[in-house]
Amino acid sequence: MTKRKHACHHATSFDSKSESISSSLYIPLHDRTSYRYVQTKLFMEKGERSWLEFCVAKERMEQDMDEQRDETIDDNSAERLWEIARCRDTHIIHAFIVRQKNSNSPLLVTKSLFNTLCHSHKVFEGFDDFVMSFGWKKRETDIGPPHCRFRYNDNEDQEGSSDNRFPAYECAYGLRYVELNGYSAEKEPWSVRQSAFYQKYDCGKQTWVLISPSIGLEDELKIHMKELDGHDGTTHFNNPFELHSIFIPCALAKWRWYIKSLVERATEQSSRVVAANVGKGKLSTLIDFDINFEDRQILKVVEDKVLDLLTIFDASSDTVSTILQEYTLMQANTSVGKRDVVLSRLTTSLREIELYRKKVKTLLKTVQGTASLLSDLLDYENAKIAEENSKALAIIAQESREENTAMRALTEKGTKDAAAVKVITLITITFLPTTVVTGFFSTQFVKQSDNGRLLELTDNWWLIVVVSLPLTLMIIFIWYCWINWTKWREEGWLQRPTVVSSSGSVHDPSNSCVTTSIRYHGKLEPFESRNGILSLC
């Protein structure tokens, strides 16, 4: 048949003799260890639990019934990969499965074993972009897988092969699928996961590498491989796109129910928001309004998931369209009839993806509309609260004005009283000398002489000075203490001294010298107690 090259892909040539080179002398076409897999924790560091699952389907198995069909290959049996790669049988399918514990964990294979798989089967570099999407990660950031990679290979053996209807090629692509994770109702019940696929077709021989396939996809693969075992015809083996038409619908199987769960969550929030009863008036109180910011967060989570779905379905549509386009071009040079099952499956899958995209776009509009309405209601509630607060502030302001008016009146009255007191004080001070003198001369210590012309002092006139002067000083002292009483109390001057023993116990003052501390004016000072008398140390 006629060989062809695709204008958008790189073509390379393989020498058929290179497959017989031993693993010790094999020189890879490109050194994968120098630049690839920069993703941290992509593979397992230890090889204790590193393994690949290998299965094979072959035509006319009765010729070699003793050949093992399913086996496990680990780091200790990596040489087995080279033996499988040197197999020259046609109408045979080799499938390697690389597993993953969960979506955010490393692949259950070491880097050396995976590189051996890629080197022995000459996996093209386009597969690296899909492998990089796996590995340990805190959260999923690479939602959409890369574009589907196709490359055509020139093979001289293909010219002489009458069984070949398809050219030699390699392809790699990634698919997103969704599964129930079995978590409780408080957590998200669905998990969005990914799988990567690599296929190499050459002279009727197919090599598949599946990374983290779903359980349903593995079951479909095993059923298909079991059906092919011992098959007398070559129809299934000669159509290398048949497994593609099985894997893609399997990956799309549960998206419908995942979208349904998102629609239910969005509808629940939408019903609550739309059913919010608003009273009459410009800013009426919301009746039975039990929606808060948490509901807006829930809508934001749903909106993010819907946006991720759009990215996933766009990438899936691009992948299926590429595979369908390549298959249509290759089918033109084959004897496959117009009613092709593979073509029908791929077309149906593409239409299913487009239907899901329309549903998701409708759901996105619903979520965004509900979020907008919820934001408006929250703003409405905030405006109502602000209006009530403004009324309360107006009342407080009015009370403050009334209080200020009263205080002003009291201040004015106090000012008038102070002025009156000042006048009285001035009058008192003016007449105070006269009052003192008059009072002194009116006492019994001063008397008039017999002729009425002279004033005479008694011999005990000094008593008035002795009594009045100390009394005046005492009154001044009492006034000073009364004025400064509060100040002394705040500063701790009125606290009673407390005697604290250095050992923390109470000692008899009659004992010999005991070192103590006295708290005086808020400070600890060391003292000695000797026979009950405190002395500063």
Side-chain angles (χ1 to χ4, degrees):
M1 64 178 287
T2 304
K3 295 184 297 180
R4 58 187 294 271
K5 293 182 182 179
H6 198 281
C8 298
H9 303 286
H10 299 286
T12 185
S13 176
F14 288 98
D15 187 359
S16 60
K17 296 180 181 180
S18 63
E19 295 183 355
S20 62
I21 301 177
S22 63
S23 61
S24 60
L25 299 178
Y26 179 76
I27 301 177
L29 297 178
H30 41 81
D31 184 9
R32 299 175 184 270
T33 61
S34 60
Y35 67 92
R36 66 181 282 165
Y37 307 138
V38 295
Q39 167 81 336
T40 58
K41 298 183 180 180
L42 178 57
F43 301 104
M44 295 185 62
E45 296 180 358
K46 298 181 180 180
E48 298 177 357
R49 299 175 57 187
S50 170
W51 55 281
L52 295 169
E53 184 174 334
F54 170 68
C55 55
V56 61
K58 185 178 180 181
E59 182 188 22
R60 301 183 182 91
M61 284 180 52
E62 62 276 8
Q63 297 178 1
D64 48 359
M65 292 297 293
D66 57 340
E67 184 178 350
Q68 190 174 0
R69 293 299 158 196
D70 299 288
E71 59 181 305
T72 300
I73 302 174
D74 54 17
D75 289 72
N76 296 327
S77 58
E79 294 294 330
R80 174 62 176 155
L81 295 174
W82 296 93
E83 296 177 4
I84 296 173
R86 290 194 294 267
C87 177
R88 300 300 300 168
D89 294 339
T90 58
H91 303 156
I92 188 171
I93 300 177
H94 290 165
F96 299 91
I97 299 177
V98 180
R99 299 191 182 277
Q100 191 180 20
K101 184 177 181 180
N102 54 61
S103 301
N104 297 328
S105 64
L107 298 177
L108 296 180
V109 64
T110 58
K111 181 179 178 180
S112 60
L113 182 59
F114 190 81
N115 280 337
T116 302
L117 172 63
C118 294
H119 290 161
S120 60
H121 290 77
K122 300 179 182 178
V123 177
F124 76 135
E125 297 179 7
F127 189 49
D128 298 354
D129 296 335
F130 302 92
V131 179
M132 291 292 294
S133 300
F134 295 87
W136 182 89
K137 58 181 81 73
K138 292 183 179 180
R139 61 184 62 87
E140 189 64 64
T141 55
D142 189 12
I143 302 299
H147 297 290
C148 180
R149 304 287 195 270
F150 252 92
R151 187 176 73 174
Y152 292 90
N153 301 325
D154 294 332
N155 196 331
E156 296 179 358
D157 295 340
Q158 186 177 346
E159 288 288 346
S161 176
S162 59
D163 296 333
N164 259 326
R165 298 175 299 175
F166 291 88
Y169 68 91
E170 291 177 272
C171 71
Y173 58 92
L175 291 176
R176 286 278 181 174
Y177 64 96
V178 66
E179 284 185 339
L180 288 171
N181 50 34
Y183 289 157
S184 58
E186 290 78 10
K187 296 184 178 180
E188 177 64 37
W190 294 91
S191 293
V192 179
R193 298 170 181 171
Q194 62 179 338
S195 296
F197 304 89
Y198 166 81
Q199 182 199 20
K200 181 179 181 180
Y201 178 78
D202 188 9
C203 299
K205 177 181 177 182
Q206 300 183 44
T207 301
W208 285 84
V209 178
L210 285 69
I211 297 181
S212 187
S214 64
I215 298 177
L217 192 145
E218 284 190 42
D219 294 339
E220 292 293 334
L221 174 64
K222 292 179 179 179
I223 292 174
H224 183 74
M225 299 286 275
K226 187 176 181 180
E227 292 178 353
L228 296 183
D229 282 342
H231 198 279
D232 293 334
T234 60
T235 303
H236 297 281
F237 292 97
N238 279 341
N239 195 335
F241 284 82
E242 186 167 3
L243 279 177
H244 295 297
S245 66
I246 295 176
F247 293 159
I248 294 175
C250 186
L252 299 175
K254 296 182 180 180
W255 283 115
R256 174 186 176 186
W257 311 113
Y258 177 66
I259 297 175
K260 181 176 180 293
S261 67
L262 294 181
V263 171
E264 291 175 351
R265 293 170 61 178
T267 303
E268 179 182 359
Q269 297 296 323
S270 177
S271 300
R272 295 179 59 201
V273 174
V274 174
N277 192 359
V278 182
K280 298 181 180 180
K282 185 177 181 181
L283 284 176
S284 302
T285 305
L286 295 175
I287 304 174
D288 299 331
F289 187 73
D290 57 347
I291 300 175
N292 50 34
F293 187 71
E294 294 181 358
D295 298 280
R296 183 64 182 89
Q297 290 178 319
I298 294 175
L299 287 175
K300 178 60 178 175
V301 172
V302 176
E303 183 179 0
D304 291 341
K305 292 182 180 296
V306 172
L307 292 175
D308 291 342
L309 282 181
L310 286 177
T311 304
I312 291 172
F313 289 143
D314 287 341
S316 300
S317 177
D318 178 78
T319 298
V320 178
S321 299
T322 303
I323 295 175
L324 182 60
Q325 179 183 0
E326 298 295 338
Y327 179 68
T328 304
L329 294 175
M330 296 182 191
Q331 183 198 26
N333 298 324
T334 65
S335 58
V336 180
K338 294 183 178 180
R339 299 182 62 84
D340 186 4
V341 177
V342 174
L343 182 62
S344 176
R345 290 175 181 172
L346 294 176
T347 305
T348 302
S349 298
L350 186 60
R351 294 174 59 188
E352 185 176 2
I353 294 174
E354 294 299 326
L355 178 61
Y356 290 158
R357 287 180 60 187
K358 293 180 180 179
K359 289 184 177 180
V360 170
K361 288 182 178 179
T362 303
L363 176 59
L364 178 61
K365 293 180 180 180
T366 301
V367 173
Q368 291 177 344
T370 304
S372 177
L373 179 58
L374 176 59
S375 299
D376 293 340
L377 288 176
L378 293 176
D379 293 340
Y380 184 90
E381 185 182 26
N382 293 335
K384 180 62 179 178
I385 295 174
E387 183 187 25
E388 294 177 353
N389 291 338
S390 63
K391 292 181 179 179
L393 291 176
I395 295 174
I396 294 175
Q398 180 64 26
E399 293 178 352
S400 299
R401 287 193 294 268
E402 294 175 357
E403 183 178 357
N404 292 335
T405 302
M407 291 297 296
R408 181 180 179 181
L410 291 175
T411 303
E412 292 177 352
K413 183 179 180 181
T415 303
K416 293 179 180 179
D417 293 341
V421 171
K422 182 178 180 180
V423 172
I424 295 173
T425 303
L426 291 175
I427 296 174
T428 303
I429 293 174
T430 303
F431 291 98
L432 180 61
T434 304
T435 304
V436 172
V437 173
T438 302
F440 176 75
F441 282 104
S442 63
T443 62
Q444 295 297 325
F445 296 104
V446 179
K447 63 182 181 178
Q448 197 173 14
S449 61
D450 296 336
N451 56 14
R453 294 181 178 181
L454 298 174
L455 293 176
E456 296 179 355
L457 295 176
T458 62
D459 295 337
N460 59 351
W461 64 269
W462 52 270
L463 289 176
I464 191 171
V465 178
V466 173
V467 174
S468 62
L469 185 60
L471 184 61
T472 302
L473 294 176
M474 184 181 66
I475 293 174
I476 292 174
F477 177 75
I478 293 174
W479 169 80
Y480 180 79
C481 292
W482 177 264
I483 294 300
N484 294 279
W485 179 271
T486 304
K487 180 180 178 181
W488 293 342
R489 192 173 184 179
E490 293 177 353
E491 294 179 354
W493 288 80
L494 299 179
Q495 293 182 0
R496 297 180 60 185
T498 57
V499 179
V500 183
S501 173
S502 60
S503 61
S505 59
V506 179
H507 297 276
D508 188 358
S510 62
N511 292 341
S512 58
C513 181
V514 179
T515 302
T516 61
S517 299
I518 182 168
R519 186 180 301 276
Y520 190 68
H521 295 173
K523 299 181 181 179
L524 284 176
E525 299 292 345
F527 280 80
E528 288 185 355
S529 175
R530 186 181 300 274
N531 296 328
I533 300 175
L534 295 178
S535 60
L536 183 63
C537 293

